[in-house]
Amino acid sequence: MKKPARSRVAAADGASASLLIADARLLDPASGMDAAGFLGVRDGVIVHAGPRAPREKFARTVEASGRWLMPGVVDLCARLREPGATHKATIASEAQAAHAGGIATLCMPPDTRPVIDTPSVVDRIQLRVARAGGLEVAVLGALTQGLGGEALPDMAALAAAGAVGFSNGLAPLASTLVARRALEYAHGCGLPVHVVPLDPALSAGGCAHEGAVSTRLGLAPIPSAAETVCIAQWLALVEETGAAVHFGRLSTARGAEMVAQAKRSGLPVSADVAAHALFMTDADLAGYDAQAHVLPPLRTAADRDALRAAVRSGAIGAICSDHQPHEPDAKTNPLPMTEPGISALETLVPLTLALVHEKVLTPLAAAARLVTGPAAVLRRPAPALAAGAPAHLLLVDPRRRWVLKADALRSAGRNTPFAGREFTGAVDASWHAGMRVFGG
């Protein structure tokens, strides 16, 4: 991978108390600003953002030369593998990958070991995150104790400890009655329930989309109905309870259409899609490539195109990484026996930039899907390039061409189907609270 010249970002700027980024294209989806200008940072906070250079002096200056500056990315789904699976990755290792990916905040599902179903586990994770530094981690509390699908945890205690929502991950619930009660309690806490819509009975044992590819390869299928049946069930419960539901990792055209219709009807729902689902299809499983083994499975080209259209319209308001780092052995067995998932923190921004180059999104809309859309799901103030906002920043070179090499990833997981792919557009530098954590 070609790296930017060190002279473009001063080596000591991370340690300075003030920083000026000059001649940047400022992309601020919170305000709708898309303009050339200057941004000043002092003591970790933005003090100036606009078309004219500030009068005050700054200790360091970065000449952006027209590169794009936007708030740091908010990623709605990333597994850091700690606690419980540190043979795959750690919070420290994945924080480095997040820095390289321009990610300032990420949301962790509750399927750690131990499960995030008590305040003590939340506290343990946040302590490790603080030690790693330069990253904010939002935690989802478990929807049921131990993700067992039956008894509810103390949701109020989890909310008080800092949980931003509740989820059962990919683990099934015992019944729709449990789902309804969980929605009612989550609604009482003022927090959404995050659902990966994948019906456990229809998807059990499957590893590929039900269609011509799975039939030809002899792979156990997962029908599109596994997603749509699940969405329909949760939408019915949302209508009954008024509780908010976020549908994560949509994979089908029909699923995107159902969510769009629910939003038009005024239901409190939102959705995201994993970046890889906007580029890959079930055809990428050819040759039994385990790197393309993901859940929900890769669908058809028609599904991919419909997901892109939903992202463009805003029906799907966020693009996430769905980061799942694995050790090499997890991907070396025959495909059905391998573990699903992609190491994706460092490809989230480049893939989203590819949508810009392919005219699916404008630069400002791309920033919205990476920043303000996901921040709204987490019920957090919209990150902004505005005076008084925390200086979590991402500087992008939209024209730099480079080839992804798996062994160059900062993540401890090197499992990616994009190895060898040429990208146009890359993260040049990122700052957390005004301190440079990547670039130069």
Side-chain angles (χ1 to χ4, degrees):
M1 182 190 308
K2 183 181 177 182
K3 295 184 178 180
R6 291 188 61 84
S7 61
R8 298 177 75 182
V9 179
D13 69 3
S16 71
S18 66
L19 167 71
L20 178 66
I21 302 175
D23 189 26
R25 181 176 179 179
L26 305 179
L27 297 174
D28 181 18
S31 66
M33 178 172 60
D34 180 358
F38 300 77
L39 185 136
V41 175
R42 199 176 303 278
D43 297 325
V45 176
I46 297 172
V47 295
H48 174 89
R52 297 182 179 180
R55 294 181 178 179
E56 61 265 37
K57 301 297 183 181
F58 293 84
R60 302 288 175 184
T61 298
V62 173
E63 293 293 342
S65 303
R67 288 172 288 166
W68 300 355
L69 184 68
M70 55 184 279
V73 171
V74 180
D75 185 1
L76 283 178
C77 185
R79 288 170 171 83
L80 306 184
R81 302 305 191 193
E82 187 178 2
T86 52
H87 62 290
K88 295 179 181 291
T90 65
I91 288 173
S93 70
E94 303 318 283
Q96 294 301 311
H99 298 161
I103 296 168
T105 302
L106 57 81
C107 186
M108 179 189 293
D111 51 0
T112 52
R113 295 195 301 271
V115 168
I116 306 173
D117 58 4
T118 63
S120 63
V121 181
V122 177
D123 292 343
R124 175 181 175 183
I125 290 169
Q126 294 298 357
L127 178 61
R128 299 293 178 87
V129 171
R131 289 175 179 172
L135 181 67
E136 293 182 2
V137 173
V139 173
L140 291 178
L143 196 63
T144 59
Q145 292 180 20
L147 301 180
E150 296 182 350
L152 303 184
D154 188 338
M155 290 184 170
L158 285 167
V164 297
F166 303 98
S167 173
N168 228 51
L170 291 172
L173 296 177
S175 68
T176 51
L177 178 60
V178 173
R180 176 170 177 159
R181 287 176 175 169
L183 279 176
E184 290 170 340
Y185 277 96
H187 189 40
C189 294
L191 294 177
V193 170
H194 290 232
V195 174
V196 180
L198 201 61
D199 181 87
L202 290 172
S203 62
C207 62
H209 169 67
E210 183 179 74
V213 173
S214 63
T215 301
R216 185 174 68 251
L217 297 178
L219 297 173
I222 300 176
S224 296
E227 177 165 293
T228 57
V229 165
C230 191
I231 291 174
Q233 173 182 289
W234 283 98
L235 288 178
L237 294 175
V238 169
E239 288 181 330
E240 289 286 330
T241 63
V245 167
H246 175 74
F247 293 103
R249 273 87 312 141
L250 292 187
S251 68
T252 68
R254 178 59 182 147
E257 181 183 353
M258 293 171 72
V259 170
Q261 178 60 49
K263 293 177 72 173
R264 287 194 295 269
S265 298
L267 293 182
V269 299
S270 57
D272 71 57
V273 62
H276 59 253
L278 300 172
F279 291 89
M280 303 179 69
T281 70
D282 56 349
D284 289 295
L285 291 170
Y288 300 94
D289 184 3
Q291 299 296 350
H293 180 197
V294 294
L295 283 178
L298 299 170
R299 303 290 186 178
T300 67
D303 289 307
R304 177 203 60 199
D305 293 345
L307 293 171
R308 285 183 165 207
V311 168
R312 181 172 58 248
S313 71
I316 295 177
I319 303 172
C320 73
S321 72
D322 195 18
H323 177 65
Q324 298 183 57
H326 287 297
E327 77 282 16
D329 286 350
K331 292 287 189 178
T332 56
N333 288 318
L335 189 146
M337 300 172 62
T338 61
E339 297 184 55
I342 294 172
S343 181
L345 290 176
E346 294 160 81
T347 51
L348 175 55
V349 169
L351 287 172
T352 305
L353 290 175
L355 295 176
V356 176
H357 293 305
E358 294 177 25
K359 308 299 183 184
V360 177
L361 295 174
T362 65
L364 193 61
R369 302 300 179 268
L370 292 175
V371 180
T372 51
V377 173
L378 299 181
R379 309 276 176 101
R380 294 193 166 190
L385 302 184
H392 305 331
L393 305 170
L394 165 61
L395 186 64
V396 168
D397 184 343
R399 296 174 294 275
R400 179 150 57 92
R401 300 177 67 178
W402 58 284
V403 175
L404 176 64
K405 297 180 180 179
D407 59 4
L409 291 175
R410 274 78 172 176
S411 170
R414 307 295 170 79
N415 50 299
T416 175
F418 298 108
R421 178 189 174 105
E422 183 177 81
F423 289 92
T424 300
V427 174
D428 259 7
S430 59
W431 292 264
H432 191 86
M435 178 171 288
R436 191 192 62 201
V437 291
F438 175 76

